[in-house]
Amino acid sequence: MEASSRAPDDSPRAQEGDELSGARFALTDLVIITGFSGAGKSTAMAVFEDEGYFCVDNLPSEMIRSLAELFQHGGSKIERAAVVSDVRAMSYFEGLVEILGELRSAGLNHRVLFLEADEQTLLTRYKETRRRHPLAETGSVADGIARERALLAPLRTRADVVIDTGGLTAAMLRRKLADEVLPARTTGRLAITFQSFGFKNGPARDPDLLFDVRFLPNPHYEADLRPLTGTDQRIVDYIDRDGALSAFYDLLHPLLDYLLPQYLAEGKSHLVVAIGCTGGRHRSVAVAEHLASRYGESSDYRVEVSHRDVHRQDRR
């Protein structure tokens, strides 16, 4: 039953529904992720986050309405969002079916993704992680799963997509979600960020691949080149004056040509390749720009380049 038939016209809830239905949303896709504890909701959230969705984990069902109201404001630029709402919210989770009805009545474009697995799979995963089931008051995971199954039954019938994650690795689940839940995703495209940085300013943050290029000739010690950055051809020419840069590329290109398709096949959607030199202004910048240019020409990749330390004042 839809929300408008459950509440009188002058009730606060009905007024909230009117506000939603009258809004012109920037939001084009709201995905509500729910299902069994241990079924892979965290992996699913990571997939949507990698795709550029605004993501919120462990959101009480009542706050989904508030989030939708926030997105109705003219200043909101959020076009795609994904939220996880599950039994961790305890009593706040019980109203999720009703909230879904209100969203549908309001005409808000949304989808419900329900993740499940058989009891033995869930028991095995909890045994491996040694986590406590949120509904296992007595410490019995099996009892918690049984209680959760009863609570989730109405939601499963409202789901747009139901995925059984039993037997799926995290990489397999990522690929399945990309194929079945993200139809707008460009098949075969890997987002790659080539990031330059300077070791003296701290390590790169969570790179997937990291290359230390401090062995290359350093333009810092040439007074006329020091103020320049690696985006200047004069810096590139200096680094390669004895062929060291070309020799490095002769080895680096085949390595990346092999690795990048492997990451794509594994189901990875975003890869950060960090290149570090001493200050992050010359050698690492030149290499990051070169790689971005080379792989940006491929239809298989969506390439960005980021220079973390290029504007830092060099006081060495």
Side-chain angles (χ1 to χ4, degrees), residues 177-188:
L177 290 169
D179 292 339
E180 299 183 12
V181 187
L182 295 170
R185 185 183 180 212
T186 305
T187 304

Side-chain angles (χ1 to χ4, degrees), residues 14-66:
Q15 293 171 9
E16 290 168 352
D18 290 341
E19 291 175 1
L20 286 173
S21 61
R24 299 185 65 180
F25 294 98
L27 191 69
T28 59
D29 189 22
L30 172 63
V31 180
I32 299 165
I33 305 169
T34 191
F36 285 85
S37 303
K41 297 188 295 294
S42 295
T43 297
M45 176 65 81
V47 171
F48 285 100
E49 188 170 15
D50 286 346
E51 284 294 315
Y53 279 65
F54 177 89
C55 295
V56 184
D57 188 19
N58 194 18
L59 189 69
S61 59
E62 286 289 330
M63 294 188 67
I64 295 176
R65 183 195 299 110
S66 300

Side-chain angles (χ1 to χ4, degrees), residues 50 73 85 120 125 145 157 162 206 209 315:
D50 286 346
H73 293 293
S85 184
Q120 187 55 53
R125 290 174 180 172
I145 293 173
T157 63
V162 177
D206 298 327
L209 295 172
R315 296 178 180 176

